[in-house]
Amino acid sequence: GAVVSQHPSWVICKSGTSVKIECRSLDFQATTMFWYRQFPKQSLMLMATSNEGSKATYEQGVEKDKFLINHASLTLSTLTVTSAHPEDSSFYICSAEKRGNSPLHFGNGTRLTVT
Amino acid sequence: DAKTTQPPSMDCAEGRAANLPCNHSTISGNEYVYWYRQIHSQGPQYIIHGLKNNETNEMASLIITEDRKSSTLILPHATLRDTAVYYCIVRANTGNQFYFGTGTSLTVIP
């Protein structure tokens, strides 16, 4: 159990366009979802924490108007990279947490390439 | 921000035990120790977590010192598929932020 599905697994887009990434918890209700980005040979950097039905909490230095997060239901959160630029090219990973003290479960990531 | 320190890299012979250390000297009383691993270009995989007592599951064992300032993840019989970056994370209860440190890159050698 505790499967997190992320879609798409990879995407290529042109500079200036927007890209939406979906994160779904398939077999549990996720009270909290987290979004990370990871550059090559680096660790995961937390971008924002998303609670169902409320606004996301962004980490310092992460532009909330550029990285729009919507957590509309207990099984779905979306990250939209708006007006993407080549420097936004990265590996984006989501994770979801069940209610109660349990470990986070991670999606398999989305490789975004902005040309 | 990450509250753990780990060696950047380690090697282990296939079939031998891999012992990965983690220092978390500023851990609070309500913070758990979590271990994850990440194989190249995949999402992190949960391994094990604990609060005070040692824990064991089908993947690994977690040994936490009595003062809780450090822990060791033990993979009892390392295989080539255990080659990955291993992350040690401390975190309090549900809903709190989950920060990754730099991790340990484990290479299992044939």
Side-chain angles (χ1 to χ4, degrees), chain B residues 8 20 24 30 38 41 53 63 65 72 76-77 79 81 92 97:
Chain B
L20 293 94
H24 30 80
N30 63 342
Q38 185 180 28
S41 295
N53 299 323
I63 308 298
T65 57
T72 301
H77 306 285
T79 70
R81 288 193 288 184
Q97 279 73 6

Side-chain angles (χ1 to χ4, degrees), chain A residues 40-82:
Chain A
K41 300 189 186 300
Q42 294 186 22
S43 184
L44 285 77
M45 184 191 80
L46 180 64
M47 298 175 68
T49 303
S50 168
N51 291 296
E52 187 262 341
S54 61
K55 290 184 178 180
T57 302
Y58 289 81
E59 294 295 305
Q60 191 172 5
V62 178
E63 299 176 61
K64 63 180 181 181
D65 294 330
K66 179 167 187 61
F67 300 100
L68 301 179
I69 292 172
N70 186 306
H71 191 165
S73 76
L74 284 172
T75 59
L76 173 64
S77 177
T78 60
L79 167 67
T80 301
V81 183
T82 63

Side-chain angles (χ1 to χ4, degrees), chain A residues 31-32 34 36 38 42-44 46 49 57 59 91 93 97-98 100-109 111, chain B residues 1 32 34 36 38 40-46 49 87 91-103:
Chain A
T31 53
T32 306
F34 302 86
Y36 296 82
Q38 185 177 33
Q42 294 186 22
S43 184
L44 285 77
L46 180 64
T49 303
T57 302
E59 294 295 305
F91 192 51
I93 307 168
E97 180 172 46
K98 294 182 192 180
N101 185 26
S102 62
L104 268 63
H105 300 281
F106 287 80
N108 265 332
R111 176 78 56 194
Chain B
D1 292 313
Y32 287 73
Y34 291 84
Y36 283 76
Q38 185 180 28
H40 182 63
S41 295
Q42 295 183 22
Q45 177 190 23
Y46 167 75
H49 75 288
Y87 294 99
R91 186 221 197 191
N93 291 332
T94 302
N96 287 1
Q97 279 73 6
F98 202 80
Y99 296 109
F100 284 77
T102 53

Side-chain angles (χ1 to χ4, degrees), chain A residues 78-100:
Chain A
T78 60
L79 167 67
T80 301
V81 183
T82 63
S83 187
H85 291 286
E87 56 265 31
D88 298 324
S89 297
S90 188
F91 192 51
Y92 292 86
I93 307 168
C94 74
S95 68
E97 180 172 46
K98 294 182 192 180
R99 193 181 303 274

Side-chain angles (χ1 to χ4, degrees), chain B residues 60-88:
Chain B
S61 295
L62 172 59
I63 308 298
I64 302 174
T65 57
E66 193 168 340
D67 63 8
R68 304 211 318 125
K69 292 185 177 181
S70 66
S71 61
T72 301
L73 177 74
I74 301 173
L75 308 178
H77 306 285
T79 70
L80 299 180
R81 288 193 288 184
D82 292 323
T83 292
V85 179
Y86 287 77
Y87 294 99
C88 166

